[in-house]
Amino acid sequence: MNRRAHAMWALALLGVMMVGAVWQPVDPHTVDLQVTLQPPSGQHWLGTDHLGRDVASRLLAGAQPSLLAISIVLVSSLGIGLMAGVAIGFGPRAVSGQIRWLAETALALPTLISALLLSALFGAGLIAISAALIASTWAPYALSIAALLERLRAETYWTATLALGSAKLGAVRRHLVPNAWPMVGALAGADAGRAVILVASLGFLGLSSDTGRPEWGAMIHEYRMFLFSEPQLVLAPVLTTGIVAFALNRALDNR
Amino acid sequence: MTNLTATRFVVMTFVSWLAAVAVCFLLIRLVPGDPVDVFITQVNIQASEALIDAYRAQWGLNESLPVQFGLWLHGFVTLDWGISFATGAPVSGELLQRLGWSAAIGFGGIIFALAFGSGLGFFTAITPGGFADHLSRAMAVAGQALPAFAVGVIALWVFAAELRWMQPFAGGTLERLVLPVALVTFFSVGSVSRLVRAGFAETVQAPYLKTALAKGLPFRSAVWRHGRRRAAIGLFAGIAPDLAWVVGGTAIAEIVFGIPGLSERAIQAVAARDYPVLQAYVGLVALWIILGLQACAALRRALDPRLADAALAS
């Protein structure tokens, strides 16, 4: 598959997730003990779980926490990363050295472990997950943007712009942002995938924020005892998480 | 390694570890909610003021923060890691018992990933565009883009439920370790193979390889003999992020396959706000990551004479 096809797939999936976050064919919370563990049918596309809830609807509703985490993480780590990158690239030596050290340290943080700790401190939830993700994802942006700035400063057109009297910040916006876009795109795609994985991982570990609300990892956690008797019940959320994470990760990658 | 670099190595390791542990210690102390209150709620007893004060005194909570940190540090070094809020048992006994499982999964995964990944990277470099190349690329993408628990659950389904090759929850020690180690290996093989490939691929391009071939060495052994050091240097420079990943991957593997390891206990501790267990866990994880990073740096210095000279000069 080429790059464009990857991007189209990811966009289509995101569209389905957005629709699913607000609309489901059956109410995902309705418990019906008459129809537990049903195989897939016209009424229940992916069957029902051990409480008679519609699995397809729960999967669709489970897109909501993932989408929320993706947007929080992308907006904040891009923002922080951009600021830190410019600070490393243009800031005074004392400051830039400190921020570079901080960024390099942040890269060594195990995301899942920081998420675990933050969940213990502030309660399991999207805030803890997002904070952990931001802590580990801003650094690559900052370091790549700093490296880009260093390369940019050696370019003749950059010297020319400054010689013509452009303001530094304006020049950064006009020349840096277009140059940075392919790299930022690849990082953002990988981060969106990672956000989905981390939300689901914490849910799978039994640390979901709200056990009542459907969430893919929490569904796997809840259904895993059925792996031997009703494998389709476990495999549905497993494959959903896998496909979404994979598609987002590949979508903007230009390798 | 000279005395000077050895001293610097030890000091840097200790300072980084101290910083990581101190941050975690501060965070726990800054969170609203007194540890004694958490403990009283956990064990669910009617506690009098006197009892609470006694606990506060026993755990040193009346001291200033630096003194408390000093007490904790002394305890950690002497393997007295406090009492678990949730179980009331000494933390060190509980965690040390579990350390073996986690270490077996983590080290096993790393060793297999290094072995398979290096081989794969080597064959990728000498046959670009071949089967090894495609496999290595696919593994690298899979390792980055797939959720570890999803791969683990599918492996459990295929090997334990469908094929019935193993009993992951009930079998012998070795039987229980196969799938977790394979999971950690699966997620690191790709990045190892890409790092190793880069080193060997540069060698394939290098002029000195032509010399080696002209001397009559077979292609494969020429690349291996002249490229392995460069490949190893690149590997130890780029493997650092995987060290952090292995901790998380081991945690997922322990939960998926029901292994009574360190991370499994830590996850219980998160749900119960069992701070002594978490603090000790962070101390161990930080030690592992920092020692790993320093070991990689030391290996690079040992393999790359340019780096050793630079370290002496600075």
Side-chain angles (χ1 to χ4, degrees), chain A residues 139-166:
Chain A
Y141 293 98
L143 292 174
S144 321
I145 286 170
L148 208 65
L149 280 173
E150 233 153 71
R151 239 188 304 149
L152 193 65
R153 260 196 291 203
E155 299 278 354
T156 40
Y157 66 80
W158 173 253
T159 323
T161 325
L162 290 188
L164 286 171
S166 307

PDB file of all heavy atoms in Angstrom, chain A residues 139-166:
ATOM      1  N   ALA A 139       9.189  15.613  23.849  1.00  0.00           N
ATOM      2  CA  ALA A 139      10.636  15.677  23.636  1.00  0.00           C
ATOM      3  C   ALA A 139      11.053  15.432  22.180  1.00  0.00           C
ATOM      4  O   ALA A 139      11.855  16.207  21.654  1.00  0.00           O
ATOM      5  CB  ALA A 139      11.331  14.705  24.579  1.00  0.00           C
ATOM      6  N   PRO A 140      10.537  14.388  21.502  1.00  0.00           N
ATOM      7  CA  PRO A 140      10.953  14.200  20.107  1.00  0.00           C
ATOM      8  C   PRO A 140      10.660  15.418  19.235  1.00  0.00           C
ATOM      9  O   PRO A 140      11.488  15.794  18.395  1.00  0.00           O
ATOM     10  CB  PRO A 140      10.125  13.002  19.650  1.00  0.00           C
ATOM     11  CG  PRO A 140       9.802  12.260  20.870  1.00  0.00           C
ATOM     12  CD  PRO A 140       9.694  13.272  21.965  1.00  0.00           C
ATOM     13  N   TYR A 141       9.489  16.066  19.438  1.00  0.00           N
ATOM     14  CA  TYR A 141       9.187  17.273  18.667  1.00  0.00           C
ATOM     15  C   TYR A 141      10.242  18.339  18.929  1.00  0.00           C
ATOM     16  O   TYR A 141      10.784  18.952  18.010  1.00  0.00           O
ATOM     17  CB  TYR A 141       7.822  17.851  19.050  1.00  0.00           C
ATOM     18  CG  TYR A 141       6.645  16.999  18.686  1.00  0.00           C
ATOM     19  CD1 TYR A 141       6.050  16.180  19.620  1.00  0.00           C
ATOM     20  CD2 TYR A 141       6.114  17.023  17.401  1.00  0.00           C
ATOM     21  CE1 TYR A 141       4.966  15.388  19.300  1.00  0.00           C
ATOM     22  CE2 TYR A 141       5.032  16.239  17.067  1.00  0.00           C
ATOM     23  CZ  TYR A 141       4.462  15.429  18.025  1.00  0.00           C
ATOM     24  OH  TYR A 141       3.398  14.649  17.710  1.00  0.00           O
ATOM     25  N   ALA A 142      10.511  18.572  20.230  1.00  0.00           N
ATOM     26  CA  ALA A 142      11.448  19.627  20.598  1.00  0.00           C
ATOM     27  C   ALA A 142      12.817  19.379  19.975  1.00  0.00           C
ATOM     28  O   ALA A 142      13.407  20.277  19.360  1.00  0.00           O
ATOM     29  CB  ALA A 142      11.560  19.706  22.119  1.00  0.00           C
ATOM     30  N   LEU A 143      13.311  18.131  20.093  1.00  0.00           N
ATOM     31  CA  LEU A 143      14.657  17.841  19.597  1.00  0.00           C
ATOM     32  C   LEU A 143      14.705  17.917  18.070  1.00  0.00           C
ATOM     33  O   LEU A 143      15.668  18.434  17.497  1.00  0.00           O
ATOM     34  CB  LEU A 143      15.113  16.464  20.088  1.00  0.00           C
ATOM     35  CG  LEU A 143      15.345  16.396  21.596  1.00  0.00           C
ATOM     36  CD1 LEU A 143      15.659  14.977  22.036  1.00  0.00           C
ATOM     37  CD2 LEU A 143      16.474  17.325  22.011  1.00  0.00           C
ATOM     38  N   SER A 144      13.645  17.416  17.395  1.00  0.00           N
ATOM     39  CA  SER A 144      13.668  17.481  15.928  1.00  0.00           C
ATOM     40  C   SER A 144      13.594  18.923  15.454  1.00  0.00           C
ATOM     41  O   SER A 144      14.271  19.304  14.490  1.00  0.00           O
ATOM     42  CB  SER A 144      12.506  16.705  15.317  1.00  0.00           C
ATOM     43  OG  SER A 144      12.281  15.534  16.011  1.00  0.00           O
ATOM     44  N   ILE A 145      12.749  19.723  16.112  1.00  0.00           N
ATOM     45  CA  ILE A 145      12.623  21.116  15.675  1.00  0.00           C
ATOM     46  C   ILE A 145      13.920  21.868  15.934  1.00  0.00           C
ATOM     47  O   ILE A 145      14.370  22.674  15.099  1.00  0.00           O
ATOM     48  CB  ILE A 145      11.414  21.777  16.369  1.00  0.00           C
ATOM     49  CG1 ILE A 145      10.138  21.229  15.735  1.00  0.00           C
ATOM     50  CG2 ILE A 145      11.455  23.293  16.221  1.00  0.00           C
ATOM     51  CD1 ILE A 145       8.879  21.586  16.452  1.00  0.00           C
ATOM     52  N   ALA A 146      14.575  21.566  17.069  1.00  0.00           N
ATOM     53  CA  ALA A 146      15.858  22.211  17.353  1.00  0.00           C
ATOM     54  C   ALA A 146      16.890  21.847  16.288  1.00  0.00           C
ATOM     55  O   ALA A 146      17.636  22.708  15.799  1.00  0.00           O
ATOM     56  CB  ALA A 146      16.346  21.805  18.737  1.00  0.00           C
ATOM     57  N   ALA A 147      16.907  20.555  15.913  1.00  0.00           N
ATOM     58  CA  ALA A 147      17.863  20.121  14.881  1.00  0.00           C
ATOM     59  C   ALA A 147      17.568  20.817  13.558  1.00  0.00           C
ATOM     60  O   ALA A 147      18.472  21.236  12.828  1.00  0.00           O
ATOM     61  CB  ALA A 147      17.794  18.607  14.713  1.00  0.00           C
ATOM     62  N   LEU A 148      16.265  20.945  13.267  1.00  0.00           N
ATOM     63  CA  LEU A 148      15.852  21.601  12.022  1.00  0.00           C
ATOM     64  C   LEU A 148      16.298  23.059  12.009  1.00  0.00           C
ATOM     65  O   LEU A 148      16.781  23.579  10.994  1.00  0.00           O
ATOM     66  CB  LEU A 148      14.333  21.513  11.926  1.00  0.00           C
ATOM     67  CG  LEU A 148      13.725  21.504  10.534  1.00  0.00           C
ATOM     68  CD1 LEU A 148      14.139  20.248   9.813  1.00  0.00           C
ATOM     69  CD2 LEU A 148      12.222  21.576  10.648  1.00  0.00           C
ATOM     70  N   LEU A 149      16.139  23.713  13.162  1.00  0.00           N
ATOM     71  CA  LEU A 149      16.538  25.119  13.263  1.00  0.00           C
ATOM     72  C   LEU A 149      18.035  25.279  13.029  1.00  0.00           C
ATOM     73  O   LEU A 149      18.475  26.212  12.364  1.00  0.00           O
ATOM     74  CB  LEU A 149      16.177  25.660  14.647  1.00  0.00           C
ATOM     75  CG  LEU A 149      14.732  26.060  14.841  1.00  0.00           C
ATOM     76  CD1 LEU A 149      14.475  26.410  16.292  1.00  0.00           C
ATOM     77  CD2 LEU A 149      14.400  27.245  13.960  1.00  0.00           C
ATOM     78  N   GLU A 150      18.799  24.313  13.586  1.00  0.00           N
ATOM     79  CA  GLU A 150      20.247  24.377  13.417  1.00  0.00           C
ATOM     80  C   GLU A 150      20.611  24.286  11.946  1.00  0.00           C
ATOM     81  O   GLU A 150      21.467  25.016  11.446  1.00  0.00           O
ATOM     82  CB  GLU A 150      20.879  23.208  14.172  1.00  0.00           C
ATOM     83  CG  GLU A 150      21.962  23.632  15.135  1.00  0.00           C
ATOM     84  CD  GLU A 150      22.063  22.636  16.261  1.00  0.00           C
ATOM     85  OE1 GLU A 150      22.542  21.521  15.989  1.00  0.00           O
ATOM     86  OE2 GLU A 150      21.638  22.952  17.392  1.00  0.00           O
ATOM     87  N   ARG A 151      19.932  23.365  11.231  1.00  0.00           N
ATOM     88  CA  ARG A 151      20.202  23.202   9.803  1.00  0.00           C
ATOM     89  C   ARG A 151      19.778  24.465   9.051  1.00  0.00           C
ATOM     90  O   ARG A 151      20.446  24.924   8.141  1.00  0.00           O
ATOM     91  CB  ARG A 151      19.429  21.994   9.267  1.00  0.00           C
ATOM     92  CG  ARG A 151      20.349  20.952   8.673  1.00  0.00           C
ATOM     93  CD  ARG A 151      19.562  19.884   7.976  1.00  0.00           C
ATOM     94  NE  ARG A 151      18.578  19.272   8.861  1.00  0.00           N
ATOM     95  CZ  ARG A 151      17.421  18.785   8.429  1.00  0.00           C
ATOM     96  NH1 ARG A 151      17.091  18.879   7.158  1.00  0.00           N
ATOM     97  NH2 ARG A 151      16.584  18.225   9.269  1.00  0.00           N
ATOM     98  N   LEU A 152      18.627  25.001   9.489  1.00  0.00           N
ATOM     99  CA  LEU A 152      18.078  26.172   8.803  1.00  0.00           C
ATOM    100  C   LEU A 152      19.035  27.354   8.895  1.00  0.00           C
ATOM    101  O   LEU A 152      19.198  28.128   7.937  1.00  0.00           O
ATOM    102  CB  LEU A 152      16.746  26.530   9.462  1.00  0.00           C
ATOM    103  CG  LEU A 152      15.837  27.512   8.728  1.00  0.00           C
ATOM    104  CD1 LEU A 152      15.376  26.890   7.434  1.00  0.00           C
ATOM    105  CD2 LEU A 152      14.645  27.849   9.594  1.00  0.00           C
ATOM    106  N   ARG A 153      19.692  27.463  10.048  1.00  0.00           N
ATOM    107  CA  ARG A 153      20.551  28.625  10.243  1.00  0.00           C
ATOM    108  C   ARG A 153      21.742  28.629   9.290  1.00  0.00           C
ATOM    109  O   ARG A 153      22.343  29.663   9.046  1.00  0.00           O
ATOM    110  CB  ARG A 153      21.029  28.677  11.693  1.00  0.00           C
ATOM    111  CG  ARG A 153      20.188  29.671  12.467  1.00  0.00           C
ATOM    112  CD  ARG A 153      20.855  30.012  13.731  1.00  0.00           C
ATOM    113  NE  ARG A 153      20.835  28.840  14.612  1.00  0.00           N
ATOM    114  CZ  ARG A 153      20.947  28.919  15.919  1.00  0.00           C
ATOM    115  NH1 ARG A 153      21.105  30.081  16.487  1.00  0.00           N
ATOM    116  NH2 ARG A 153      20.911  27.852  16.658  1.00  0.00           N
ATOM    117  N   ALA A 154      22.113  27.438   8.783  1.00  0.00           N
ATOM    118  CA  ALA A 154      23.232  27.369   7.857  1.00  0.00           C
ATOM    119  C   ALA A 154      22.793  27.690   6.428  1.00  0.00           C
ATOM    120  O   ALA A 154      23.626  27.898   5.550  1.00  0.00           O
ATOM    121  CB  ALA A 154      23.868  25.985   7.915  1.00  0.00           C
ATOM    122  N   GLU A 155      21.472  27.725   6.184  1.00  0.00           N
ATOM    123  CA  GLU A 155      20.979  27.951   4.816  1.00  0.00           C
ATOM    124  C   GLU A 155      21.174  29.414   4.422  1.00  0.00           C
ATOM    125  O   GLU A 155      21.005  30.322   5.234  1.00  0.00           O
ATOM    126  CB  GLU A 155      19.482  27.613   4.727  1.00  0.00           C
ATOM    127  CG  GLU A 155      19.154  26.179   5.045  1.00  0.00           C
ATOM    128  CD  GLU A 155      19.374  25.252   3.858  1.00  0.00           C
ATOM    129  OE1 GLU A 155      19.669  25.769   2.761  1.00  0.00           O
ATOM    130  OE2 GLU A 155      19.278  24.032   4.042  1.00  0.00           O
ATOM    131  N   THR A 156      21.465  29.626   3.125  1.00  0.00           N
ATOM    132  CA  THR A 156      21.697  30.995   2.666  1.00  0.00           C
ATOM    133  C   THR A 156      20.402  31.802   2.665  1.00  0.00           C
ATOM    134  O   THR A 156      20.409  32.995   2.952  1.00  0.00           O
ATOM    135  CB  THR A 156      22.310  31.000   1.265  1.00  0.00           C
ATOM    136  OG1 THR A 156      21.680  29.981   0.510  1.00  0.00           O
ATOM    137  CG2 THR A 156      23.800  30.744   1.330  1.00  0.00           C
ATOM    138  N   TYR A 157      19.270  31.141   2.346  1.00  0.00           N
ATOM    139  CA  TYR A 157      18.021  31.923   2.274  1.00  0.00           C
ATOM    140  C   TYR A 157      17.628  32.460   3.641  1.00  0.00           C
ATOM    141  O   TYR A 157      16.973  33.489   3.755  1.00  0.00           O
ATOM    142  CB  TYR A 157      16.885  31.131   1.615  1.00  0.00           C
ATOM    143  CG  TYR A 157      16.387  29.916   2.360  1.00  0.00           C
ATOM    144  CD1 TYR A 157      15.508  30.055   3.429  1.00  0.00           C
ATOM    145  CD2 TYR A 157      16.750  28.631   1.967  1.00  0.00           C
ATOM    146  CE1 TYR A 157      15.033  28.953   4.088  1.00  0.00           C
ATOM    147  CE2 TYR A 157      16.281  27.525   2.630  1.00  0.00           C
ATOM    148  CZ  TYR A 157      15.418  27.679   3.686  1.00  0.00           C
ATOM    149  OH  TYR A 157      14.948  26.589   4.349  1.00  0.00           O
ATOM    150  N   TRP A 158      18.047  31.745   4.678  1.00  0.00           N
ATOM    151  CA  TRP A 158      17.761  32.213   6.035  1.00  0.00           C
ATOM    152  C   TRP A 158      18.543  33.498   6.324  1.00  0.00           C
ATOM    153  O   TRP A 158      17.996  34.505   6.778  1.00  0.00           O
ATOM    154  CB  TRP A 158      18.134  31.108   7.017  1.00  0.00           C
ATOM    155  CG  TRP A 158      18.051  31.493   8.458  1.00  0.00           C
ATOM    156  CD1 TRP A 158      19.084  31.723   9.296  1.00  0.00           C
ATOM    157  CD2 TRP A 158      16.862  31.702   9.216  1.00  0.00           C
ATOM    158  NE1 TRP A 158      18.625  32.046  10.532  1.00  0.00           N
ATOM    159  CE2 TRP A 158      17.257  32.044  10.519  1.00  0.00           C
ATOM    160  CE3 TRP A 158      15.499  31.634   8.921  1.00  0.00           C
ATOM    161  CZ2 TRP A 158      16.349  32.317  11.518  1.00  0.00           C
ATOM    162  CZ3 TRP A 158      14.600  31.899   9.923  1.00  0.00           C
ATOM    163  CH2 TRP A 158      15.023  32.242  11.203  1.00  0.00           C
ATOM    164  N   THR A 159      19.843  33.468   6.018  1.00  0.00           N
ATOM    165  CA  THR A 159      20.672  34.660   6.196  1.00  0.00           C
ATOM    166  C   THR A 159      20.108  35.810   5.370  1.00  0.00           C
ATOM    167  O   THR A 159      20.045  36.963   5.832  1.00  0.00           O
ATOM    168  CB  THR A 159      22.110  34.367   5.733  1.00  0.00           C
ATOM    169  OG1 THR A 159      22.428  33.020   6.088  1.00  0.00           O
ATOM    170  CG2 THR A 159      23.101  35.295   6.379  1.00  0.00           C
ATOM    171  N   ALA A 160      19.673  35.468   4.151  1.00  0.00           N
ATOM    172  CA  ALA A 160      19.141  36.499   3.265  1.00  0.00           C
ATOM    173  C   ALA A 160      17.897  37.150   3.865  1.00  0.00           C
ATOM    174  O   ALA A 160      17.757  38.379   3.867  1.00  0.00           O
ATOM    175  CB  ALA A 160      18.820  35.892   1.899  1.00  0.00           C
ATOM    176  N   THR A 161      16.980  36.309   4.405  1.00  0.00           N
ATOM    177  CA  THR A 161      15.757  36.854   5.010  1.00  0.00           C
ATOM    178  C   THR A 161      16.094  37.814   6.138  1.00  0.00           C
ATOM    179  O   THR A 161      15.525  38.899   6.237  1.00  0.00           O
ATOM    180  CB  THR A 161      14.893  35.721   5.608  1.00  0.00           C
ATOM    181  OG1 THR A 161      15.024  34.591   4.797  1.00  0.00           O
ATOM    182  CG2 THR A 161      13.466  36.133   5.743  1.00  0.00           C
ATOM    183  N   LEU A 162      17.032  37.366   7.000  1.00  0.00           N
ATOM    184  CA  LEU A 162      17.390  38.218   8.136  1.00  0.00           C
ATOM    185  C   LEU A 162      18.063  39.500   7.646  1.00  0.00           C
ATOM    186  O   LEU A 162      17.795  40.589   8.160  1.00  0.00           O
ATOM    187  CB  LEU A 162      18.316  37.470   9.091  1.00  0.00           C
ATOM    188  CG  LEU A 162      17.669  36.333   9.876  1.00  0.00           C
ATOM    189  CD1 LEU A 162      18.624  35.808  10.932  1.00  0.00           C
ATOM    190  CD2 LEU A 162      16.361  36.777  10.520  1.00  0.00           C
ATOM    191  N   ALA A 163      18.914  39.370   6.627  1.00  0.00           N
ATOM    192  CA  ALA A 163      19.605  40.538   6.089  1.00  0.00           C
ATOM    193  C   ALA A 163      18.610  41.536   5.505  1.00  0.00           C
ATOM    194  O   ALA A 163      18.803  42.745   5.565  1.00  0.00           O
ATOM    195  CB  ALA A 163      20.604  40.107   5.022  1.00  0.00           C
ATOM    196  N   LEU A 164      17.514  41.009   4.945  1.00  0.00           N
ATOM    197  CA  LEU A 164      16.476  41.878   4.380  1.00  0.00           C
ATOM    198  C   LEU A 164      15.637  42.512   5.469  1.00  0.00           C
ATOM    199  O   LEU A 164      14.744  43.305   5.185  1.00  0.00           O
ATOM    200  CB  LEU A 164      15.584  41.084   3.431  1.00  0.00           C
ATOM    201  CG  LEU A 164      16.236  40.752   2.086  1.00  0.00           C
ATOM    202  CD1 LEU A 164      15.369  39.792   1.304  1.00  0.00           C
ATOM    203  CD2 LEU A 164      16.484  42.019   1.286  1.00  0.00           C
ATOM    204  N   GLY A 165      15.875  42.129   6.730  1.00  0.00           N
ATOM    205  CA  GLY A 165      15.211  42.801   7.833  1.00  0.00           C
ATOM    206  C   GLY A 165      13.958  42.122   8.346  1.00  0.00           C
ATOM    207  O   GLY A 165      13.167  42.750   9.044  1.00  0.00           O
ATOM    208  N   SER A 166      13.743  40.819   8.041  1.00  0.00           N
ATOM    209  CA  SER A 166      12.569  40.138   8.594  1.00  0.00           C
ATOM    210  C   SER A 166      12.735  39.956  10.092  1.00  0.00           C
ATOM    211  O   SER A 166      13.844  39.774  10.588  1.00  0.00           O
ATOM    212  CB  SER A 166      12.420  38.754   7.965  1.00  0.00           C
ATOM    213  OG  SER A 166      12.432  38.842   6.585  1.00  0.00           O
TER     214      SER A 166
END
